[in-house]
Amino acid sequence: MSGGRLANRYSLMQPLGSGGMGRVWLARDEMLDREVAVKELTLPEGLSPKERAELVTRAVREAQAMAQLRHPGIVALHDVVVEHDRPWIVMELLRGRTLGEAVQAHGPMPVEYVARIGADMLDALSAAHARGLQHRDVKPGNVFLTDSGRVVLTDFGIARQEGQATLTEQGMTIGSPGFIAPERLEGEAGGPASDVWSLGATLYLAVTGTAAYSGTAAERIRATLTQPLPVAPGPLGPLLAAMMAAHPAARPAAPAMIQPLRQAAAGLPAVLPVHHVPTAPRPVRRRHGPLLWLAAVAAVLVVAAAATAVVLILKNRDNGVPAAFTVPLNVCSLLGQEDVGLLLRTQQPPAGKASADELGPQCGWTTPGRGMEVQVQKDSDTRDPWAMSPESARTLFGNQHRYWAKNDRAQWIWPEIGVTKAQPVTRTPVRAIGGVGEEAFTYELKGPTGRMLSAVVFYRLANLVVSVEYTTLADRPSDDDIKQTALKAAQASERALLHAG
C-alpha cells in the first residue's frame, strides 16, 4: 500500500516494521507538513461483521483515551483513523532504536544507565496508571531509546485493545513470554503491578544482557510460574527482585520505585521503599487498608481521589436487585454509626477511615482489639467500580473465589487494632454462603494458636463485588460469633446499597 493515503491527509511512504499486531509505516502528515508513524492494526481472521465492528470501536476508544495522556516517556498519539475496515493509529515519529536492539548489538548496559531508563519508564507508567490505563506489553522491544536521549514507552495501551475480545474468549494472554507477569499467565486480568513486573524483567535483560527466563515460549512461561526468581548482580539486584516479586501485592507501586532507581542512576546507594521486604515468606495478596495481607510489606500508592467511590442505583429489576450501580457514593456510608457500634460492641463507634488501592475504594472502622473493613472492588480493565458490568463483576467474583481457594497462608498485621508485628495466619477453606448478595463466599483466618481472628465475606450484587472483613483479638467471642458478625456487616452494607436507590 506504499503511496496510499489515509483520511485524505496522511501519505504512507514506506513500512518501518511489522509484528503480530500490525505494521508500522513512515508517513507524512500533509496538513501539518511533518513526518509521523502510522500503525496499521491487524484484526484477527474469521471475525463476523459485528465482532469486527466491536473491535474497531474498542481500538478507537482506547486510542482516544491514550491521546489525552501527554508524557515525555510515552509515545505521543496524534490521531486515529478508520479506513479499509480497520483502525490506523497516527503517532509521533521516533528516531533511534529499541532497548532490545541496543542490548543485542552491544550487550549489557551500565547500571546507572539502566537505572535511569527504569526511573523514566516508571514515571511514564505512573502517569498512565493514575488515569486507569495499563500497558500490558512492557518489554525491551517496546522501550525506545531516541537519538535525542529520550526513553519512550511505545505501543502504550494498543495491545490491550487489539483483538481483546477474541483472544480472551480463546483463553489466550496478550504479551511476550518472559515479560508477562505470573498472575496474567495464571489467567488473571492483571493490573498496574503487572506492568511493574514486566518492566523489572525488561531492566533485568538490559543490565545482564540475558532474559530472566529463557528458552522456548512454553519454557519461559513454565519458568516464570515455577522457578525461583533470578537476582541480577550489583546494586539493581534488590530493586529488580522487588519489582518482580511473585505476587502483585508484594511489589512496590510504580511511583514508590522511582526514587530508588534515581539514586542508583546517580551512583548512590539505592534504598527500597520503606517496609518492603523482598525475602519475606510466600507472597499473598495485600491491600492498603487497615487489614494488611503481607509476604512483603510493599509501599502501595493510595489514590485518595477514589477513596469515596461506590455507587447509587441506576434502576431496579423486578426482584428488587438493582440492574447496575453508577453514581459515586461514600464507601464509609455503607455502615452507619449504629451498625458499627453494634458490630464492634462499643458505645462510642469510631468514624470510618476511607482509602483506596488498585482493587477499589474501601473504608475501615477500628477500636482497640477490633476492626472492620468494607471494599467495593473493580477489575484492572475498569477505572471505577460503578463502571463494571454485571458480566465483568461475575468474572471478578469468580477470580476472587479461585484465588482465595488456592492461597491458604499469609502473614498478618493491623497496627490500628494493636497488632504491630506481623504474625502467621492460615485460611480456612473457601465456601459458598447464602443470605447476602446474588452470590457469596466466605473464609476465616486463624492465628498461630488456632484461634479464629477474622472472617471475610465476598458478595456480588448486580455489577458490584464487595468484600467485608471483621476481626477481633478478644478471647470471648466464639468462632461462630465471628462468622456471624462478618455476615451481619455484609448484610448491613448490602441494605445500605439497596436503600440508597
Side-chain angles (χ1 to χ4, degrees):
M1 192 176 174
S2 181
R5 288 165 61 85
L6 294 174
N8 201 31
R9 170 177 177 176
Y10 303 106
S11 177
L12 303 180
M13 300 165 63
Q14 67 183 56
L16 293 175
S18 62
M21 290 298 181
R23 180 185 303 176
V24 178
W25 295 81
L26 171 65
R28 175 166 291 280
D29 181 346
E30 296 178 350
M31 181 177 294
L32 298 180
D33 191 25
R34 65 179 178 182
E35 290 184 333
V36 294
V38 175
K39 182 161 187 177
E40 172 189 0
L41 299 187
T42 304
L43 300 180
E45 298 291 336
L47 295 177
S48 68
K50 180 181 178 181
E51 290 171 329
R52 193 176 188 88
E54 288 175 349
L55 291 184
V56 170
T57 299
R58 186 178 290 115
V60 171
R61 185 167 58 244
E62 181 69 14
Q64 290 170 337
M66 283 305 307
Q68 300 175 21
L69 181 59
R70 297 292 180 180
H71 189 281
I74 298 174
V75 62
L77 197 154
H78 299 318
D79 196 5
V80 58
V81 176
V82 178
E83 285 193 11
H84 309 293
D85 296 323
R86 55 189 178 273
W88 305 70
I89 308 299
V90 182
M91 303 171 289
E92 68 171 313
L93 179 65
L94 301 174
R95 298 192 181 277
R97 58 183 170 178
T98 70
L99 176 63
E101 292 169 340
V103 173
Q104 187 174 18
H106 301 291
M109 294 178 166
V111 168
E112 292 80 4
Y113 185 47
V114 174
R116 183 178 80 80
I117 291 173
D120 288 351
M121 290 296 87
L122 284 169
D123 194 58
L125 286 171
S126 298
H129 293 166
R131 296 180 67 93
L133 299 170
Q134 292 117 43
H135 190 285
R136 300 196 174 201
D137 196 19
V138 178
K139 60 183 180 181
N142 282 336
V143 175
F144 200 89
L145 311 177
T146 71
D147 293 339
S148 64
R150 281 174 62 200
V151 182
V152 183
L153 194 55
T154 63
D155 273 0
F156 203 108
I158 295 174
R160 173 184 176 182
Q161 295 299 329
E162 295 167 358
Q164 181 178 351
T166 298
L167 289 171
T168 301
E169 289 164 5
Q170 294 175 346
M172 298 175 66
T173 298
I174 297 174
S176 302
F179 300 95
I180 306 174
E183 64 271 13
R184 292 190 60 225
L185 292 175
E186 291 180 333
E188 299 178 16
S194 302
D195 281 347
V196 172
W197 193 97
S198 298
L199 179 60
T202 297
L203 299 178
Y204 183 98
L205 173 78
V207 77
T208 66
T210 60
Y213 301 110
S214 59
T216 65
E219 289 170 342
R220 280 175 277 159
I221 291 172
R222 187 182 305 112
T224 302
L225 292 173
T226 63
Q227 292 185 9
L229 174 68
V231 178
L236 289 187
L239 303 185
L240 302 187
M243 294 173 66
M244 296 177 69
H247 193 277
R251 300 168 206 152
M257 287 300 297
I258 296 174
Q259 182 59 26
L261 283 168
R262 295 281 186 223
Q263 292 169 335
L268 302 173
V271 181
L272 278 168
V274 65
H275 299 312
H276 186 80
V277 187
T279 57
R282 178 182 177 181
V284 295
R285 173 172 158 265
R286 174 194 183 270
R287 294 206 304 274
H288 182 84
L291 186 57
L292 303 182
W293 300 91
L294 300 176
V297 185
V300 176
L301 178 66
V302 176
V303 186
T308 60
V310 169
V311 291
L312 292 175
I313 293 171
L314 174 64
K315 62 179 180 179
N316 288 331
R317 299 192 290 236
D318 293 339
N319 62 1
V321 177
F325 295 83
T326 60
V327 181
L329 175 70
N330 188 338
V331 66
C332 291
S333 68
L334 292 183
L335 289 181
Q337 288 293 287
E338 183 177 353
D339 287 325
V340 172
L342 291 172
L343 294 167
L344 293 182
R345 296 171 174 81
T346 177
Q347 294 182 349
Q348 296 181 326
K353 183 178 179 181
S355 61
D357 63 15
E358 63 183 27
L359 283 175
Q362 59 194 14
C363 189
W365 298 263
T366 59
T367 63
R370 288 190 177 90
M372 289 187 302
E373 182 190 64
V374 175
Q375 181 174 50
V376 180
Q377 300 190 349
K378 67 181 186 67
D379 60 26
S380 61
D381 292 328
T382 310
R383 179 173 300 179
D384 303 307
W386 54 94
M388 295 274 288
S389 68
E391 291 74 21
S392 59
R394 278 190 286 269
T395 299
L396 175 61
F397 180 86
N399 288 341
Q400 288 286 32
H401 188 283
R402 285 188 293 273
Y403 175 83
W404 290 110
K406 66 180 181 181
N407 291 278
D408 60 356
R409 293 184 182 276
Q411 289 192 3
W412 178 74
I413 185 172
W414 197 345
E416 290 84 353
I417 69 171
V419 183
T420 58
K421 293 184 178 180
Q423 60 176 291
V425 293
T426 57
R427 180 197 46 72
T428 62
V430 170
R431 58 195 184 278
I433 59 170
V436 63
E438 297 180 82
E439 52 185 336
F441 68 85
T442 188
Y443 61 85
E444 294 80 42
L445 297 177
K446 293 187 176 182
T449 64
R451 187 177 65 83
M452 186 175 294
L453 297 171
S454 300
V456 182
V457 174
F458 279 79
Y459 70 88
R460 182 186 65 83
L461 186 67
N463 65 323
L464 294 185
V465 175
V466 182
S467 66
V468 179
E469 302 168 347
Y470 170 73
T471 292
T472 178
L473 303 180
D475 295 327
R476 182 171 298 178
S478 66
D479 290 356
D480 189 61
D481 287 337
I482 294 174
K483 297 175 187 177
Q484 289 300 313
T485 301
L487 178 59
K488 289 176 182 177
Q491 292 169 333
S493 68
E494 181 187 30
R495 287 194 301 270
L497 285 171
L498 294 172
H499 180 71

